[in-house]
Amino acid sequence: DSGVTQTPKHLITATGQRVTLRCSPRSGDLSVYWYQQSLDQGLQFLIQYYNGEERAKGNILERFSAQQFPDLHSELNLSSLELGDSALYFCASSVSGGTSGGHRTDTQYFGPGTRLTVL
Amino acid sequence: AQKITQTQPGMFVQEKEAVTLDCTYDTSDQSYGLFWYKQPSSGEMIFLIYQGSYDEQNATEGRYSLNFQKARKSANLVISASQLGDSAMYFCASIYNFNKFYFGSGTKLNVKP
């Protein structure tokens, strides 16, 4: 158990709908990352937050948005869902969020993921 | 340019044998970190091992060790005494270039009984 929690574990919805994925980082971690992993694909970095502020943006679609709240939990909102959005969505957290120059505190610990199926 | 390269899409190893999974990286930064993750078929991403660029000794965590060759920019994962439960996808990752995190494309390891 990494200490990162994600809810829900599974989500089945229809095209055009909107869903919210939730992530709670490990205690003490200030940074949250979101990734998308499609079937048999590698990890696609979506977005990173550090202590409530957006730190980095990857290949995140405009239909997707995220935020990190004062208690450091984060939510990823996916709207106008398409069949191609079906994937495993991971949240990861780290202590220093990439600010330590590659120190061990930059290690990302992953949650169990949310498997999204769009029908 | 590819930041993290894993050239072995799939590998087989006999149970109880050692196996090396290759990873090369591309940076001119002096300070960086290298990581390996395991993803079993159940889907979770499990952190295995970390190596810092200034660490003089290769990192070890139980049956996992990281063969760090700085001049060659390689960070190969060595799994000793493979077990059936080691069958999984393995991802190499690094953080450098103004603190960006990069993942490789992964190597699928199959351990044969």
Side-chain angles (χ1 to χ4, degrees):
Chain A
D1 185 350
S2 66
V4 179
T5 60
Q6 285 188 251
T7 56
K9 192 163 184 174
H10 300 278
L11 198 48
I12 301 174
T13 188
T15 54
Q17 294 297 305
R18 171 190 169 95
V19 297
T20 298
L21 313 184
R22 182 187 169 104
C23 168
S24 292
R26 294 186 323 155
S27 177
D29 285 1
L30 296 178
S31 191
V32 168
Y33 301 78
W34 286 98
Y35 292 89
Q36 179 193 57
Q37 186 179 39
S38 302
L39 195 62
D40 295 328
Q41 297 292 313
L43 286 164
Q44 296 293 320
F45 168 65
L46 297 178
I47 198 165
Q48 179 202 359
Y49 284 84
Y50 181 80
N51 205 19
E53 301 288 328
E54 182 183 305
R55 167 66 61 86
K57 221 167 186 176
N59 300 321
I60 188 166
L61 300 172
E62 284 195 11
R63 300 184 284 110
F64 296 180
S65 65
Q67 55 183 326
Q68 186 179 29
F69 294 87
D71 67 352
L72 300 178
H73 91 271
S74 178
E75 291 181 357
L76 178 67
N77 299 297
L78 315 176
S79 61
S80 302
L81 285 167
E82 302 174 358
L83 296 177
D85 297 328
S86 295
L88 187 55
Y89 290 84
F90 284 109
C91 164
S93 73
S94 73
V95 174
S96 49
T99 61
S100 71
H103 190 267
R104 182 180 293 273
T105 54
D106 285 334
T107 302
Q108 293 188 25
Y109 293 89
F110 283 74
T114 293
R115 191 169 293 278
L116 174 66
T117 302
V118 182
L119 301 175
Chain B
Q2 192 78 305
K3 300 298 183 185
I4 295 285
T5 302
Q6 295 182 252
T7 57
Q8 308 150 312
M11 287 191 70
F12 285 90
V13 65
Q14 203 68 38
E15 194 178 7
K16 300 181 185 176
E17 291 185 350
V19 62
T20 297
L21 307 184
D22 294 341
C23 172
T24 57
Y25 56 94
D26 179 19
T27 183
S28 55
D29 287 7
Q30 296 300 308
S31 181
Y32 51 90
L34 299 156
F35 311 83
W36 277 91
Y37 291 85
K38 172 184 178 182
Q39 187 177 34
S41 57
S42 51
E44 69 268 34
M45 289 283 288
I46 303 165
F47 165 65
L48 294 178
I49 195 166
Y50 162 83
Q51 178 86 42
S53 59
Y54 291 115
D55 294 339
E56 294 187 354
Q57 292 200 335
N58 288 337
T60 60
E61 292 285 349
R63 294 186 299 110
Y64 304 109
S65 60
L66 200 153
N67 184 0
F68 181 43
Q69 298 188 44
K70 202 168 184 175
R72 293 186 178 185
K73 296 187 179 179
S74 75
N76 299 337
L77 178 71
V78 180
I79 306 175
S80 63
S82 297
Q83 301 172 355
L84 295 178
D86 294 334
S87 293
M89 196 77 162
Y90 289 82
F91 292 96
C92 177
S94 184
I95 182 164
Y96 45 74
N97 273 8
F98 304 104
N99 301 317
K100 289 185 180 177
F101 216 92
Y102 299 95
F103 279 89
S105 55
T107 295
K108 189 165 186 176
L109 177 67
N110 281 293
V111 180
K112 297 189 291 185

